[in-house]
Structure formats: structure tokens, C-alpha cells
Amino acid sequence: MRFVQFCSAIALLLVSSGIATAGKVEVTGVHLCCPKCAKGVADALSKVDGVSGAMCDREAKTVTFTAANDEAAQAGINALAAAGYHGTAKHGDDALEFPASGAKEDAKANSISLSHIHLCCGSCLKAVGAAVNDVDGVSNVSCDREKMTCSVTGTNVSVEAVVKALNDAGFNATVE
């Protein structure tokens, strides 16, 4: 009986301290326009130790998976970002952050190069173009599906605004 109480106390301590909390991770607002998008999510998460049960709900634009612990949950988010996906992530009640884009605060540019953008099909390309074209000063958006890159040109364009527009549309972006 003492052993069971001891194990219960250790488990409670680990959970209450935030160490090794297994559970569901939910990412909302992810761009999932087609089966290739869902396959890309599954492929990215299948390579992460401690992550299992990846599921996509294309209609709800939601990705869920089970993480063995906090580190696996964050590794899953990092893998999604590297594959070009973005959203709002929670592990249980805790928010998870996507990796930083590299956009410098208040930076303006006439030419912006972005990478790590999921671009599997024509609908992805259209969605990226629609999101970025709404940013003040943008005159042209050009994407390379194979390289997962996007070039944005215009006049005095806010780099942060371009990244935010992509993130809001469910795409990750890293400033080159």
C-alpha cells in the first residue's frame, strides 16, 4: 500500500510541476485544403518520438495528436512548422508556441524571401497569394512549390505583417 501511495505522490508531483505531462495536443487554424495537406501533417508527425495518433479534420482546420510528454508536444509543433503548417496550439490547457519566424520587429522591405511554407497544390498557392496580397504595399507574390518558398515584392512592406498574414491563413513562414 505504501508503494502505491508513493507512486501516486510522484505522479501528482510530476503533473503539478509540468514535468512529463502526456496528453492531447490540438492545433487549430491549420491550412488543410486537400488530402495531400493531411498526408503532409501525418508524415511530419510520424517522425517525432513520443507523438502518436495524428489526426486531421480538414473541415475544422484542426490537427490533433497525442504527446508522451511536454517535450514531445513541442517537438510535434516544431515538426509541423518545419513542414510548413501553422496554427494555434494547446497541450491540455497549456499554449504551445510555434518557432519564431525570424521577422525583425518593425522591419520593412521591398523584397521578402520566405521558406518552410506548405505548398502541396494549387489551392495552397492560391491561399498564400490571397493572404499575402492583402498586406499593405505588396505588389507581387511568387511561390515555388518544390522548394516550399515564397517571394514577396512591393513597396515598404511590413515583414511582420506578411508573416502574420501567412500564419493567420494556417501556413508557417521563416524569413530568409
Side-chain angles (χ1 to χ4, degrees):
M1 185 65 171
R2 285 185 189 184
F3 180 72
V4 171
Q5 289 172 330
F6 174 75
C7 289
S8 295
I10 293 296
L12 180 62
L13 178 65
L14 290 173
V15 169
S16 67
S17 67
I19 300 171
T21 52
K24 179 181 173 184
V25 175
E26 182 177 62
V27 188
T28 58
V30 181
H31 180 85
L32 298 168
C33 68
C34 70
K36 284 184 183 179
C37 290
K39 183 179 180 331
V41 166
D43 289 347
L45 292 174
S46 72
K47 299 171 187 162
V48 180
D49 289 335
V51 167
S52 62
M55 304 271 297
C56 293
D57 182 334
R58 288 181 32 221
E59 190 173 310
K61 299 181 179 187
T62 301
V63 172
T64 57
F65 60 91
T66 300
N69 54 39
D70 294 340
E71 292 76 22
Q74 188 61 57
I77 296 305
N78 294 347
L80 288 173
Y85 302 93
H86 197 277
T88 302
K90 290 187 87 172
H91 179 212
D93 291 332
D94 298 327
L96 294 172
E97 296 296 323
F98 275 76
S101 69
K104 292 189 170 82
E105 189 174 342
D106 298 325
K108 303 269 185 175
N110 295 332
S111 178
I112 304 166
S113 295
L114 304 155
S115 63
H116 296 104
I117 304 169
H118 175 78
L119 299 167
C120 73
C121 67
S123 292
C124 290
L125 294 169
K126 277 185 180 179
V128 165
V132 176
N133 275 322
D134 284 343
V135 175
D136 287 343
V138 171
S139 59
N140 188 46
V141 180
S142 175
C143 297
D144 185 324
R145 280 177 50 186
E146 287 187 26
K147 292 181 181 177
M148 295 174 57
T149 60
C150 182
S151 297
V152 178
T153 56
T155 304
N156 206 26
V157 179
S158 166
V159 178
E160 287 176 303
V162 168
V163 170
K164 182 177 181 337
L166 286 168
N167 291 168
D168 290 349
F171 295 95
N172 188 63
T174 301
V175 178
E176 296 296 312

